[in-house]
Amino acid sequence: MKLGFVGLGKMGGKMIERLLRGGHEVVAFDRDPAAAAAAGRLGALVADSPRELVESLRPPRAVWVMVPAGETTRAVIEELAGPLEDGDVLIDGGNSNYGDTIAAADWLADRGITMLDAGTSGGIWGLTEGYCLMVGGPEEAFLRLEPVLRTLAPPDGYALVGPNGAGHFVKMVHNGIEYALLQAYGEGFEIMREKKEFEIDLPAVARLWNRGSVIRSWLLELAAAALGRNPDLSGIKGYVEDSGEGRWTVAEAIRLNVSAPVITLSLLQRMASRRPDPFAAKLIAALRNEFGGHAVKSEE
């Protein structure tokens, strides 16, 4: 199948490589000349602009967008909508907010263009392991793009999960769960590390737990690899960023009156990691001194 692909970053570049290996033709575009050149070396036809990319495809066309969520995605969709025609399909594979996705799908539908939202999980390992694809949109468009989805995903690793917006909604919740899993592993390994008298070999425990344990997982395999390379994680600052999906998951839980304390607390812990000397902790220390005369440590 011939596919247009806009966005050749850490994931997009690997995705087109997997598609090319699978026998698909890819017309690629990225505003970064180095990323575009790398795609050309892999065998993609490189376009100089989104319009040229669209014009290089025969109708009915399909164009996959893999750029940062928010304003960047909106701008790319609007730019592509000009040359795209009735019957074409645009796929947003980024981490867009599902509300934005529904609005974009309606806007494109008014122009005769069908949209699929493909929540994409797999990170930098997707090239070799495949990408889990959570797709929202019309079934007809899903079936038309199935050869592409089948190539990108591992066996049974893609599905139509609902109408437009559902794909990005499911991916949002997926990432919220990821926050909680990462937090649990982080806390557990810190508890073991602080039990100094046992001198626990953390990489060995991570490998052990992946052999029959009920908490075995790919994340635990990655933990074993990271700890094996750097047992003390020296040189790594404990600053944990978030890309938005955890916040959206918590906000949606509140709207739906669903109790989600673990995901919520994992998000709040990420925020706490960015403030090495929080004012709230200072105030708590001061209040303990005021009411109980508890000692206060001075800043060095």
Side-chain angles (χ1 to χ4, degrees):
M1 183 172 180
K2 193 168 186 177
L3 177 76
F5 205 104
V6 177
L8 308 172
K10 286 187 295 184
M11 287 188 69
K14 298 298 184 184
M15 291 172 74
I16 68 160
E17 185 172 352
R18 189 170 172 97
L19 288 169
L20 290 165
R21 289 182 182 179
H24 298 277
E25 297 179 72
V26 177
V27 182
F29 172 77
D30 196 285
R31 300 195 188 280
D32 179 0
R41 288 192 294 272
L42 290 172
L45 174 64
V46 178
D48 291 331
S49 68
R51 177 171 290 276
E52 182 181 296
L53 178 146
V54 171
E55 292 173 349
S56 299
L57 301 169
R58 289 188 303 175
R61 307 171 184 88
V63 180
W64 192 296
V65 176
M66 202 73 188
V67 299
E71 180 59 28
T72 302
T73 293
R74 186 194 64 77
V76 169
I77 288 175
E78 289 184 358
E79 190 171 5
L80 287 167
L84 287 173
E85 300 174 343
D86 187 19
D88 293 341
V89 177
L90 187 150
I91 309 99
D92 176 9
N95 282 326
S96 295
N97 183 286
Y98 79 94
D100 294 342
T101 299
I102 293 171
D106 290 343
W107 184 81
L108 288 168
D110 290 340
R111 289 153 180 79
I113 303 165
T114 301
M115 183 176 184
L116 291 175
D117 46 291
T120 306
S121 181
I124 60 175
W125 294 88
L127 174 60
T128 54
E129 303 298 321
Y131 300 89
C132 180
L133 301 170
M134 298 146 263
V135 185
E139 184 177 17
E140 182 181 355
F142 171 81
L143 294 174
R144 181 179 147 198
L145 268 293
E146 196 164 16
V148 167
L149 302 174
R150 189 182 299 115
T151 298
L152 287 171
D156 299 320
Y158 69 94
L160 181 65
V161 296
N164 280 124
H168 283 154
F169 182 85
V170 171
K171 178 56 164 42
M172 176 193 77
V173 176
H174 164 283
N175 282 24
I177 293 170
E178 177 190 306
Y179 279 38
L181 290 172
L182 291 172
Q183 185 66 30
Y185 281 132
E187 291 175 7
F189 277 89
E190 183 169 9
I191 292 168
M192 290 188 290
R193 183 175 185 270
E194 292 306 307
K195 193 66 173 174
K196 303 296 186 184
E197 63 267 35
F198 284 167
E199 299 182 348
I200 296 171
D201 185 335
L202 298 185
V205 170
R207 293 191 296 270
L208 170 67
W209 282 350
N210 261 321
R211 297 295 181 269
S213 163
V214 296
I215 62 168
R216 62 187 181 274
S217 73
W218 182 52
L219 287 175
L220 201 52
E221 292 177 16
L222 297 177
L227 291 167
R229 290 191 301 269
N230 187 0
D232 293 323
L233 301 180
S234 57
I236 299 176
K237 188 175 182 179
Y239 182 106
V240 186
E241 194 56 86
D242 72 276
S243 56
E245 297 88 348
R247 297 176 186 232
W248 302 340
T249 303
V250 171
E252 194 67 31
I254 293 169
R255 278 193 290 269
L256 296 172
N257 290 316
V258 173
S259 176
V262 176
I263 293 174
T264 302
L265 286 175
S266 68
L267 170 64
L268 298 180
Q269 281 297 103
R270 289 194 178 199
M271 295 177 180
S273 77
R274 302 163 205 164
R275 300 177 64 87
D277 194 16
F279 181 81
K282 291 184 178 184
L283 181 58
I284 292 168
L287 289 173
R288 292 182 75 248
N289 177 259
E290 291 290 332
F291 69 70
H294 301 290
V296 175
K297 293 186 177 182
S298 300
E299 292 182 324
E300 296 182 3

